[in-house]
Structure formats: C-alpha cells, structure tokens
Amino acid sequence: MAVSQTDIDNLNQAIATGARSVTLGGQTITYNTTQNLIAARNDLQAQLDAQSPERKRRRRQTLLYQSGRGY
C-alpha cells in the first residue's frame, strides 16, 4: 500500500479528536489506545519519507567559534 499525506492527516485528525477508528485506503482500522495511533502515524510518516527522498529534512547545524587570547 502506498502511503499518502492524506493517510497521515487522517491519523492526525483522529489523534486530535480522540477517535480510535480511522479509514485508511478504504479500510477502517480501530486502534486500542492513542499511543497505538501515534505509533501508526509515525510509522506511516517514516514510510512516506522513505518513498520520497527529497522530503527528508536536513538538520540545521550551528557552529560557534571563539577566538581570543584565552584570558
């Protein structure tokens, strides 16, 4: 099953409203807890990121330099 942003949005909406049943790809899935919903959302997000490598986010790196005599 190909993962789409719509599937992730449906899971986010279910998490926000407290619903436990979600329809993904034409199938209705009922989760036991909110933690299971969050785990499913994170898994789908990882699959979506793997499908499209250009969506990967680069971490912003900040380098700090200090110069001086060290007094």
Side-chain angles (χ1 to χ4, degrees), residues 59-67:
R59 285 193 166 167
R60 180 175 287 181
Q61 185 176 11
T62 303
L63 301 174
L64 300 175
Y65 295 98
Q66 179 179 351
S67 62

Side-chain angles (χ1 to χ4, degrees), residues 17 21 38 68:
T17 60
S21 294
I38 293 171

